[in-house]
Amino acid sequence: MPKRKKISIASEESSKDGSESSKRRKSELDPVEICHELYETIRNHRTEDGRLLCESFIRAPNRRSLADYYDVIATPIDLLKIQQKLKTEEYIDVNQFASDIELMVNNAKSYYKKSSQEYRDACDLWDIFVDAKTDFLNIEIKKEEDKSSEIDDDRGSECSEDESVYEELFTTVMTAADMEGRALSSMFQLLPSRTLYPEYYKVIHDPIDLKMIAQRIQNNDYRTLGEMEKDLLQMIKNAKIFNEPGSQIYKDAATLRKIILIKKAEIDQRKAYPAKSSERIRNKRLAGGQKWSSIIAALKYDAAPKVDLTSEAASPASVLEIAEESVDAAEDESDPEDAHNNPQWMLYETVKNYINTQGYQLSEPFWTLPSRRSYPDYYKEIKQPMSLFKIRTRIKTGCYDGLVDVVDDMNLMFENAKKYNRPDSKLFKDAVKLQKIMQAKARELINQHMK
């Protein structure tokens, strides 16, 4: 009897401990608690120089000092409003909370310039939030510790297994595709040309592409998979900083980021459970036996824009058009001889030189046509592409019979932008603003001419 009683007591204690453990696990996974933890993570994060990263997001801009903010941003939100919703338990799950954080970040990206501190802070804040979210939801396994001190310089037989996971992660990136089979990695293989895109290197301070990552794999420069993951995520971050949130490359970057995090987590988990590993998957290569890293490492940098030759838009004429427009736009800065008396030119100058209250030249995105390589879908949707550079060239060469023809081309350009971009995007709103300014100036010039 005493033994049976002892067993019974032990069983009850074990059951009690299990119940308490279950409650603790349930508490740890409580969505409301996770939302609070995520909020504290981004609210208290400081940069390397000790600055509070979320400083610009605590309160929405003042309506008196930045009235046009509320013309651009349809749904303002700040951290104080999010905190209030947390206190009143309005968030029932983490995704609902994440939607408000994403809205806040996208508002900042839509209003501020890419080169501004606010835009950069928005990108950094979102990356920190996503990292914290994946950690809390157990999507990403804890970061791999640096064991370089324990690794033999020779690395021996263990090296071959480590090298295979680098190639596996790289292959996953290279073979990632959308629903139509379009490779997501195309725009990330080589950095933009410094000659044609000097502004990229003014905005991006740590440029990196898949060629550089492939070379590091080939040279055995990575000591841990975490180092390679860091380079891949930096590449993704650069793309999201430089490109508009609604653009194709921005969307591709966001998709690739998820793929990288999930694959890295999968490899980490496989290390914890070796029985689930697959030599066939880990050593996945091309049909010919060549590694993806060796192929991408061998790519050459070009000064001219790259066009996917498998694309319908990639005809010889289109390649020439992109190259000529990019070069000519940079070189042709002269004004026509009758610039001050030419109503066509006066209308063009009004649109091109308009600057808003933040000192941002709204016409900048309309200066040249979108890159066919970066935005192949643009040329499928927009049948009559038009840019300020084309209009400028036609004015200088005397192609227009009158001011009305210039107005027609400008309306076409703005309508194209409104058709391709989302109504809540900054580019759509800038097109609406510039179109109104253009039409008002055109009426003024026509009235002057009639007098």
Side-chain angles (χ1 to χ4, degrees), residues 45-56 117 121:
H45 183 86
R46 292 185 179 274
T47 60
E48 292 180 358
D49 58 0
R51 182 175 59 87
L52 202 62
L53 183 62
C54 70
E55 189 174 350
S56 304
Q117 188 62 56
D121 286 349

Side-chain angles (χ1 to χ4, degrees), residues 7 9 37 45 47 50 60 85 128 134 148 154 200 210-212 242 255 262 323 327 329 332 348 397 406 448:
I7 292 171
I9 292 171
E37 291 288 345
H45 183 86
T47 60
K85 292 175 77 171
I128 289 166
T134 53
S148 57
D154 192 22
Y200 180 86
L210 287 173
K211 173 182 169 69
M212 295 166 64
F242 186 73
T255 303
I262 291 171
V327 175
D332 184 11
Y348 165 82
T397 55
V406 182
Q448 288 177 359

Side-chain angles (χ1 to χ4, degrees), residues 235-298:
M235 178 185 73
I236 297 300
K237 181 180 176 182
N238 291 346
K240 295 172 75 175
I241 289 175
F242 186 73
N243 296 279
E244 291 288 341
S247 67
Q248 187 62 56
I249 191 170
Y250 188 99
K251 295 175 183 176
D252 289 349
T255 303
L256 278 175
R257 188 175 192 277
K258 294 177 182 177
I259 291 171
I260 291 165
L261 291 175
I262 291 171
K263 188 62 180 180
K264 168 65 164 51
E266 176 190 317
I267 295 172
D268 284 344
Q269 187 165 3
R270 196 171 61 221
K271 289 179 181 177
Y273 302 98
K276 295 183 180 180
S277 66
S278 169
E279 198 66 29
R280 181 184 61 83
I281 296 175
R282 286 209 312 270
N283 292 320
K284 184 180 180 183
R285 300 182 182 182
L286 294 176
Q290 194 174 10
K291 295 180 180 179
W292 269 111
S293 62
S294 63
I295 293 174
I296 302 303

Side-chain angles (χ1 to χ4, degrees), residues 88-114:
T88 55
E89 297 185 355
E90 290 186 39
Y91 298 116
I92 59 175
D93 58 38
V94 178
N95 289 334
Q96 193 178 13
F97 174 74
S99 295
D100 274 358
I101 299 295
E102 186 174 13
L103 173 63
M104 180 181 72
V105 168
N106 286 338
N107 284 350
K109 287 183 176 181
S110 297
Y111 181 73
Y112 295 104
K113 286 185 180 181
K114 292 178 185 177

Side-chain angles (χ1 to χ4, degrees), residues 77-93:
I77 192 168
D78 53 29
L79 284 176
L80 286 176
K81 187 172 182 179
I82 292 173
Q83 184 185 42
Q84 184 61 33
K85 292 175 77 171
L86 278 171
K87 288 180 178 178
T88 55
E89 297 185 355
E90 290 186 39
Y91 298 116
I92 59 175
D93 58 38

